[in-house]
Amino acid sequence: MPVATAAPVVLLPNQFSCNSPMIVYKSGDWWEAFRHFKHSAIIRSVFKRVLWVGLYATAVAVIEQNWVHIPISVDKEFFTFMGILLSLLLSFRTSTAYDRFYEGRRLWGQLVNNCRNLAVLLDARLAPDDQANREYLAALITNFPIALDGHLREGVKFHKLAETAPGFLTRLQQLGHVPSGIAAALQTHFELLLRREVLLPEHLITLQRHHEALLDVAGACERIKGTPIPFSYSFFIKAFVMIFILVLPFNLLDTYQYMMIPVTMFGAYALLGVEMIGDEIEDPFGKDSNDLPLTQIADRIYVNVHEILQVEVPEERRVQAAEQYSVVF
């Protein structure tokens, strides 16, 4: 008895693209990278704040030099010590944020591998002419990363998912955790194939390891998404940076005079930039230019799994999967 096949998914132009794709660049080409600062929203935001710091430093310099002395000063050795302490805190902050970013990428790498492994094992077991099961399983496996992409972002976009059986998407829309529903449907079909002796018990044991890994990846991604850096720690660093920048012009004015303004702006750029980059990459599943390209990864899983299971891939999906994350420079 044939299994219901996956309904074709109609694709619209850029239907699967991100709002702000990840920037890919050549790390050795500094000058070319500088020319593409406009691609990074975080750099533009830092520049705006540095300009405000420049205006503040200018006001301090003009008032101090022309009108009245403001009695604010900190012992230079103590101020230097505070600067070292702040740099250590920012270093730890950035390192913690990058660990979260890298773990997110590692988890999605595991998802890619397990989806491919499931497809390879099923392709070896299914008969070459069993097109119904091949199409059904290809659609079900590739629905998982697409659903997880939406689950970690702004919500699952059900029009991106394949209708593997009548009413399947309607049932998924009633669930609070769509990836679990897809994983459950996949396990149910494995059990069906086992009863029909398409799969043997030893095959199911091998498949089970990769199937369980799908929800392991989803749970680990949810842990990263739902556990931000503690508020007290984040607020303390932001307050420390703000106070340090506010006091900085008064400590530099006697030594640098009006040159204190660009020196203060440069210091503010370094401190604010490191802190704001940490804020952005601590959640790697957003849609900022420095976040992970989940949609493109899901598109490539789609193409890989369908090719392995010898199911036709729409040309639109091949084009989307082949697209670079952003302008390569």
Side-chain angles (χ1 to χ4, degrees), residues 92-102 229 277-278 281-282:
F92 177 75
R93 169 76 173 86
T94 306
S95 176
T96 302
Y98 184 76
D99 285 344
R100 293 163 59 88
F101 177 88
Y102 184 76
I229 302 295
I277 289 172
I281 67 174
E282 74 177 20

Side-chain angles (χ1 to χ4, degrees), residues 4-65:
T5 60
V9 180
V10 179
L11 300 176
L12 301 176
N14 299 322
Q15 179 181 348
F16 290 82
S17 61
C18 293
N19 290 342
S20 181
M22 181 182 181
I23 296 176
V24 179
Y25 65 98
K26 297 177 182 178
S27 58
D29 195 341
W30 285 32
W31 294 112
E32 192 68 13
F34 285 142
R35 217 165 50 81
H36 288 80
F37 264 11
K38 63 179 180 295
H39 289 285
S40 177
I42 192 72
I43 295 298
R44 294 194 297 270
S45 181
V46 169
F47 280 163
K48 290 178 182 178
R49 299 188 184 194
V50 168
L51 287 176
W52 282 109
V53 170
L55 292 174
Y56 166 73
T58 301
V60 170
V62 170
I63 293 173
E64 281 272 358
Q65 294 292 328

Side-chain angles (χ1 to χ4, degrees), residues 100-118:
R100 293 163 59 88
F101 177 88
Y102 184 76
E103 185 181 4
R105 183 60 186 90
R106 182 176 59 81
L107 289 167
W108 271 75
Q110 292 177 7
L111 181 61
V112 172
N113 294 339
N114 282 288
C115 288
R116 288 172 178 166
N117 285 329
L118 280 173

Side-chain angles (χ1 to χ4, degrees), residues 84-94 233 236-237 240:
I84 295 173
L85 176 60
L86 179 57
S87 67
L88 292 174
L89 288 171
L90 287 175
S91 176
F92 177 75
R93 169 76 173 86
T94 306
Y233 179 74
F236 173 76
I237 291 182
F240 198 163

Side-chain angles (χ1 to χ4, degrees), residues 18-26 36 38-40 288-291 293 296 300 320 322-329:
C18 293
N19 290 342
S20 181
M22 181 182 181
I23 296 176
V24 179
Y25 65 98
K26 297 177 182 178
H36 288 80
K38 63 179 180 295
H39 289 285
S40 177
D288 297 317
S289 58
N290 290 304
D291 291 328
Q296 286 90 338
R300 292 177 184 181
Q320 289 165 351
E323 287 181 353
Q324 293 292 339
Y325 300 142
S326 184
V327 178
V328 179
F329 50 84

